[in-house]
Each structure stands twice: as C-alpha cells, then as structure tokens.
Amino acid sequence: MLSHYFVDVTGLVALSLNLSALVRSSDRALVKTTGWASATWALNNLLIGAHTAAALSALSVGRQVSASVLRDHPARTKAIAFAAFAAATLLIAVATWSGFGTMFPVLGSLMASYAMFYMRDAALRWAMVAVNALWMVNAVAAGSWWQIAANGIAGAAGVIGAWRARPRRRDQVAAGTGACCCAV
C-alpha cells in the first residue's frame, strides 16, 4: 500500500516538473527541468514495473545534463554525444525488450535525444509534443494514470510553449500583434 503512495507522489512531482519545463520560454530551463522530471519518472516507472521506461528515463537524465553542457559546443562534439545516447538507448531496448510496445518509448527517447542536442525554440517544443505522444503508448500499456495524464497535459503544455517560442516578424513585434507569419 505504501508503494502506491510513492507512485502517486512521484507521478505528481514529475508531472509538475514536465509542465513547468514545457511552458517556459527558455530552452536552458526546459532542458534542466526535464532532466529533473526524467529522474522522477525513472523512479515512478521502476515502482510500476515498467523496466524499459525506467532505464530510458534514467538515461535521459544524463542526456539532459549532456545537452545542457554541450549546448554551445561544436557540432562534432554534439554528434558524438548524440551517437552515444542513441547507442545506449538501443542497448536498453535490446536488454529490456518486452514486445512491440517497447518500440514506442525507445523511439520517443531517440527523438528526445535528437531534439535536445539539435533543436531550439518552437521546433524543440513541437518535438517534445511528439515525444509525449510516443511515451503515451507506454503509459497506457503500463496502466499508469499519472503518466497518461502527464503525457496528455505535457503535450498540451508543449503546444503552448511552442506557440510562445514561435518566430515572429519584427513588424509584428513592433506593432504588438500576435499573428504568426510562418508555419511552425
């Protein structure tokens, strides 16, 4: 019974961190806060017995730290780090494979790795919306209501964050209009 409370607490904390990260306009804050959320999701996944998701969430903590540190480094350095995280993701997939459903969080993790190392602003947030959609499959398969809620709400928060981070023309900014001049 006590473990049920830990599942609820970790789910609530991770959900709060995800929301906080995705609605911020700072990419640096998004990367840092989603790192903390990933650590909390790793514990939550471990508690519900979702071993692939727990391992991928733990790996994503390292990815978030690396992406934050390497943010302004040369492309070659980021490419090496991305390749290492992609390889580790695939190794986790092989080691914890439990059927077709395993593919969705693995694809989500690969997409998140690419996004964290190479994307910025609205594109980064749109990628995170897609990542949440892929992780939703894991949440439904695990029957985790916290993760289902988190992926749905975080997806919506990602849309809001993408809207706030969208590129705007200078004349719109000067005029104070909110109309978007380009597809995001």
Side-chain angles (χ1 to χ4, degrees):
M1 185 67 163
L2 190 57
S3 68
H4 176 69
Y5 291 114
F6 286 132
V7 169
D8 288 343
V9 168
T10 58
L12 179 61
V13 170
L15 171 59
S16 300
L17 288 167
N18 276 130
L19 292 177
S20 169
L22 289 167
V23 297
R24 294 178 189 216
S25 57
S26 164
D27 288 348
R28 193 168 300 277
L30 182 144
V31 171
K32 181 180 176 181
T33 308
T34 55
W36 285 106
S38 292
T40 311
W41 282 127
L43 180 56
N44 183 270
N45 279 304
L46 191 62
L47 290 170
I48 65 172
H51 302 294
T52 300
L56 291 173
S57 294
L59 178 66
S60 72
V61 174
R63 174 189 63 222
Q64 303 304 82
V65 170
S66 297
S68 183
V69 169
L70 299 176
R71 181 174 172 81
D72 297 320
H73 281 68
R76 178 180 163 95
T77 306
K78 287 193 246 184
I80 292 167
F82 170 72
F85 281 100
T89 299
L90 295 174
L91 285 173
I92 288 170
V94 169
T96 63
W97 187 262
S98 60
F100 182 72
T102 304
M103 186 172 60
F104 293 95
V106 169
L107 290 174
S109 186
L110 289 170
M111 182 181 286
S113 293
Y114 182 84
M116 289 296 155
F117 284 108
Y118 296 110
M119 295 179 162
R120 299 285 179 262
D121 302 321
L124 172 59
R125 284 152 183 83
W126 283 117
M128 297 313 293
V129 170
V131 167
N132 279 296
L134 289 165
W135 275 87
M136 179 67 84
V137 176
N138 177 73
V140 170
S144 172
W145 291 105
W146 280 113
Q147 291 183 33
I148 291 168
N151 284 300
I153 295 169
V159 170
I160 292 166
W163 177 255
R164 290 179 64 202
R166 74 194 183 283
R168 295 175 16 176
R169 292 191 325 216
R170 268 187 241 138
D171 59 331
Q172 289 175 321
V173 172
T177 62
C180 184
C181 62
C182 59
V184 208

